[in-house]
């Protein structure tokens, strides 16, 4: 069953890539200029669409619906059609299929993937650096929020609507009982896990079912050793998993597995189950982002553990080239603007929306991608909430990019499968790097 699913996924990716290559010239020939961010002409209200992958009841959509209603009140005939597919794999398939057919709507969500960079290279996405500058908003955005959306060459074609910090939440009472301290380096993790296991608790809660949380761990060691260089070189075929950074990461993951860092059967543990392990006091550590502030830093948290929850950021390693305040600080999936359908109405609406958005979004208790809006701290928040809001203003510029947004789909799928085997002890670090280098070479051809 797994083999058939993987074969189907690879076939779909190949067909989509081929279709995109064939349609690319046709798209570019449409006369669109990604740098023409202020086109001449009348603003003629109509329906515009946004293809997006976000929770229908989430803060981003709620804020944009309010903004669209406000704009429509002054521009009769305008409406914003939200085409929502929260399930990310299904969304990506829809997005890439529409791109291949040259039928993307005015606005669409995308990560800074190799696929998106191909679209930008075909002049099918508006230059966001130029757009924000033209709107007078370029200095409003957090540098880290924009950096997360940039391609490897530094170009920017997506607008961020979120800003998150990914940290390690931990139970101070469990740490004290087990006699362990916050790990000073990544190399301290295995010993920490061994001590926590001896104390009778699961060391780290992990959503293994969705696979990306485990993939985060693979990204940590290379980020500390090389910054963004290793993953950028890896996906471009200029590095291999057998390189020192890849070997160090593979060995660290194997050590985590041997030390029993994750729960037994972690590969079948879902998101809600992993969170419940931590919030019920059955797991000592939980690596997750500030999108969970409402559950982990308010009185919604179980009173039995509420006073014992704290957090630490990504530990460093010996010889690190990145700073302690540099870790995973994503600004979520970005919004791209279709250069083929860009006109005075789209520009005018975006100018209004991007200026109004930060204040409305920050009022929900979320971190704004700009520095112009102060996050509203909920009345039932613990001190962790305000501490993390303050921490957001102190992050560095280098970002540990999630690898699932960087690697091609086939390589990423294989990596997630092999990581599970590695942590379970079913393969050695050497077997892991050899298998992954073969998969990388095959998929880069």
């Amino acid at each position: 069953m797994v083999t058939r699913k993987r074969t189907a996924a690879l076939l779909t990716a190949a067909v989509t890539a081929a279709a995109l290559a064939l349609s690319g010239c046709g798209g570019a020939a449409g006369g669109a200029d990604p740098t023409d961010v202020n086109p001449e002409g009348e603003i003629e209200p109509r329906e515009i669409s946004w293809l997006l992958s976000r929770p229908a009841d989430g803060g981003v959509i709620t804020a944009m619906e309010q903004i669209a209603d406000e704009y429509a009140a002054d521009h009769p005939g305008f409406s914003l059609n939200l085409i929502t597919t929260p399930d990310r794999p299904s969304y990506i398939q829809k997005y890439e299929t529409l791109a291949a057919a040259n039928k993307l709507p005015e606005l669409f969500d995308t990560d800074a993937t190799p696929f998106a960079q191909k679209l930008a290279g075909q002049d099918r996405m508006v230059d966001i650096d130029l757009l924000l500058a033209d709107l007078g908003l370029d200095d409003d955005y957090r540098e880290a929020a924009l950096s997360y959306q940039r391609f490897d060459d530094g170009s920017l074609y997506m607008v961020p609507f979120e800003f998150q910090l990914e940290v390690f939440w931990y139970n101070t009472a469990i740490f004290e009982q087990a006699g362990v301290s916050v790990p000073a380096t990544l190399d301290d993790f295995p010993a920490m896990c061994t001590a926590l296991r001896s104390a009778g608790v699961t060391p780290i809660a992990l959503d293994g079912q969705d696979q990306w949380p485990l993939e985060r761990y693979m990204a940590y060691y290379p980020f500390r050793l090389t910054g963004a260089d290793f993953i950028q070189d890896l996906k471009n075929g200029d590095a291999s998993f057998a390189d020192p950074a890849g070997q160090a990461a593979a060995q660290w993951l194997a050590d985590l597995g041997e030390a029993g860092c994750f729960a037994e059967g972690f590969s079948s543990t879902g998101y809600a189950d992993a969170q419940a392990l931590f919030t019920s006091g059955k797991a000592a550590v939980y690596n997750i982002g500030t999108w969970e502030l409402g559950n982990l830093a308010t009185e919604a948290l179980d009173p039995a553990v509420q006073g014992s929850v704290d957090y630490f950021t990504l530990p460093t390693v010996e010889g690190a080239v990145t700073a302690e305040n540099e870790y995973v600080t994503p600004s979520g999936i970005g919004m791209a603007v279709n250069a083929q359908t860009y006109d005075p109405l789209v520009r005018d609406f975006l100018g209004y929306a991007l200026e109004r958005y930060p204040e409305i979004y920050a009022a929900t208790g979320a971190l704004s991608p700009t520095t112009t809006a102060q996050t509203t701290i909920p009345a039932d928040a613990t001190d962790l909430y305000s501490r993390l809001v303050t921490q957001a203003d102190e992050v560095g510029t280098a970002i540990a990019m999630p690898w699932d947004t960087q690697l091609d789909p086939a390589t990423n799928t294989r990596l997630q499968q092999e990581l599970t085997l590695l942590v379970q002890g079913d393969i050695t670090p050497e077997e892991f790097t050899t298998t992954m280098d073969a998969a990388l070479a095959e998929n880069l051809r």
Side-chain angles (χ1 to χ4, degrees):
M1 181 64 72
V2 171
T3 302
R4 287 199 297 272
K5 285 184 178 179
R6 181 170 179 271
T7 301
L10 293 176
L11 180 59
T12 299
V15 170
T16 300
L20 176 59
L22 290 173
S23 67
C25 294
D33 179 359
T35 67
D36 183 13
V37 295
N38 194 358
E40 296 181 356
E42 296 293 322
I43 297 172
E44 299 180 2
R46 68 176 194 281
E47 178 184 85
I48 68 173
S49 296
W50 183 4
L51 182 72
L52 68 170
S53 176
R54 306 172 193 267
D57 58 350
V60 175
I61 287 182
T62 301
M64 287 299 285
E65 285 178 330
Q66 176 182 333
I67 290 168
D69 288 343
E70 292 175 0
Y71 187 80
D74 291 330
H75 299 79
F78 172 84
S79 64
L80 179 63
N81 176 31
L82 299 174
I83 308 169
T84 309
T85 307
D87 175 64
R88 190 62 68 90
S90 298
Y91 173 80
I92 291 173
Q93 183 177 21
K94 178 188 292 186
Y95 150 53
E96 295 190 352
T97 299
L98 289 173
N102 215 4
K103 293 182 178 180
L104 285 168
E106 288 88 351
L107 311 172
F108 58 94
D109 279 358
T110 182
D111 288 304
T113 62
F115 184 88
Q117 191 157 19
K118 288 181 182 179
L119 291 181
Q122 295 166 352
D123 292 342
R124 297 171 68 179
M125 295 160 68
V126 170
D127 187 316
I128 297 301
D129 264 331
L130 294 179
L131 176 59
L132 293 180
D134 189 62
L135 294 172
L137 301 174
D138 50 330
D139 291 335
D140 292 353
Y141 282 83
R142 299 178 192 268
E143 184 177 353
L146 293 180
S147 294
Y148 183 79
Q149 305 296 334
R150 294 186 186 278
F151 293 126
D152 293 349
D153 61 5
S155 60
L156 180 67
Y157 288 87
M158 284 80 71
V159 179
F161 281 84
E162 305 173 48
F163 189 64
Q164 311 286 356
L165 311 182
E166 293 189 17
V167 300
F168 292 85
W169 303 80
Y170 74 104
N171 188 307
T172 58
I174 294 177
F175 267 46
E176 184 176 350
Q177 291 166 9
V180 299
S181 303
V182 169
T185 73
L186 291 177
D187 293 318
D188 294 329
F189 267 65
M192 174 192 76
C193 292
T194 298
L196 290 168
R197 276 284 175 198
S198 298
V201 297
T202 296
I204 303 175
L206 180 77
D207 167 19
Q209 195 173 78
D210 289 322
Q211 299 185 315
W212 64 263
L214 181 58
E215 197 170 1
R216 286 289 199 275
Y217 284 82
M218 182 66 193
Y220 293 153
Y221 225 103
F223 173 71
R224 285 301 185 212
L225 291 177
T226 74
D229 289 351
F230 182 70
I231 183 58
Q232 289 178 359
D233 291 343
L234 196 66
K235 68 182 181 183
N236 293 327
D238 297 323
S240 72
F241 283 88
D243 288 350
Q247 289 185 355
Q251 185 60 59
W252 186 63
L253 264 294
D255 291 344
L256 295 184
E258 186 174 356
C261 285
F262 307 120
E264 289 85 357
F266 71 87
S267 62
S268 59
T269 299
Y271 189 99
D273 293 331
Q275 185 164 297
L277 277 174
F278 179 73
T279 56
S280 65
K282 295 178 182 177
V285 178
Y286 183 40
N287 184 201
I288 206 69
T290 48
W291 58 84
E292 288 293 352
L293 277 172
N295 291 317
L296 300 176
T298 68
E299 292 177 3
L301 184 62
D302 187 338
V305 299
Q306 196 175 112
S308 301
V309 173
D310 205 339
Y311 73 91
F312 60 90
T313 57
L314 180 67
T316 187
V317 298
E318 184 177 352
V321 302
T322 52
E324 290 184 2
N325 69 338
E326 294 173 329
Y327 39 93
V328 187
T329 52
S331 52
I333 192 167
M335 182 196 74
V337 182
N338 189 341
Q340 320 272 247
T341 56
Y342 186 69
D343 63 9
L345 172 67
V346 176
R347 181 196 181 278
D348 192 64
F349 171 67
L350 288 176
Y352 178 81
L354 297 182
E355 189 166 356
R356 283 282 290 133
Y357 178 82
E359 180 182 355
I360 296 173
Y361 184 64
T364 68
L367 295 169
S368 171
T370 71
T371 58
T372 58
Q374 182 63 43
T375 298
T376 299
I377 307 296
D380 65 344
T382 66
D383 71 307
L384 288 181
Y385 208 115
S386 57
R387 281 173 54 197
L388 278 158
V389 169
T390 299
Q391 180 105 31
D393 295 328
E394 301 170 354
V395 300
T397 56
I399 299 171
M401 294 296 290
W403 283 21
D404 54 300
T405 69
Q406 300 296 295
L407 297 172
D408 68 89
T411 301
N412 188 63
T413 297
R414 186 59 182 269
L415 173 61
Q416 292 175 342
Q417 294 169 346
E418 296 300 315
L419 280 175
T420 298
L421 296 175
L422 176 64
V423 173
Q424 290 176 165
D426 296 327
I427 58 174
T428 66
E430 293 75 18
E431 290 171 331
F432 170 82
T433 56
T434 298
T435 298
M436 285 312 307
D437 279 335
L440 188 66
E442 176 66 24
N443 295 323
L444 282 174
R445 287 196 302 185

